[in-house]
Amino acid sequence: MNDASPARAPRADLFSEYCPSRDVLKHVTSRWGVLLLVALLDGPQRFGELRRKVGGISEKMLGQTLHWLEQDGFVQRTAHPVAPPHVDYRLTPLGEGIGRKVGDVVAWIEGNLDNILAAQAEKAA
């Protein structure tokens, strides 16, 4: 490749231990990543609203997960120039796409929870 040629992006290969897609997968499929993506499908929300909506998440994990999702291009953080400061978070078009996908997984789990719990109880017995 000569210096004038544009660099090619590496081909995604989730099964390769060095593929950057694994970090994205980790962010999207973490417990908090899934819950925040699904919560933001309802539209823009402030930090405090998200913390109340997603039970059990700490401020630290909320901030860290939002930061990861923002870095991956799934969440847009908007700081409004008012006093006191007002910041909201919304899904980008890319985030809406993955949010719907993980939302389908969440809906499937909720719809099959009785069967899942029965299987767990059977294995525990």
Side-chain angles (χ1 to χ4, degrees):
M1 176 187 296
N2 65 39
D3 292 333
S5 300
R8 281 191 169 168
R11 184 176 168 273
D13 179 7
L14 197 59
F15 292 104
S16 168
E17 71 179 298
Y18 303 109
C19 185
S21 63
R22 284 195 177 186
D23 284 334
V24 177
L25 181 68
K26 178 175 65 177
H27 300 158
V28 168
T29 61
S30 72
R31 169 179 38 175
W32 304 124
V34 167
L35 293 173
L36 288 172
L37 288 166
V38 173
L40 286 167
L41 284 171
D42 291 338
Q45 294 173 60
R46 295 177 71 174
F47 190 91
E49 291 173 305
L50 288 168
R51 183 146 187 237
R52 285 186 296 278
K53 187 175 217 170
V54 180
I57 192 168
S58 68
E59 278 191 37
K60 178 183 176 184
M61 283 310 303
L62 176 56
Q64 186 174 52
T65 306
L66 286 168
H67 180 73
W68 288 334
L69 295 174
E70 185 180 2
Q71 283 185 317
D72 291 338
F74 301 135
V75 170
Q76 177 184 346
R77 179 186 185 273
T78 304
H80 301 279
V82 295
H86 175 105
V87 176
D88 64 39
Y89 299 87
R90 72 185 68 231
L91 293 176
T92 64
L94 197 60
E96 288 176 9
I98 193 66
R100 285 191 297 274
K101 299 283 188 197
V102 297
D104 288 344
V105 172
V106 168
W108 184 91
I109 291 170
E110 288 176 334
N112 287 282
L113 189 56
D114 289 341
N115 294 330
I116 294 166
L117 294 175
Q120 289 174 348
E122 182 180 315
K123 294 295 179 190

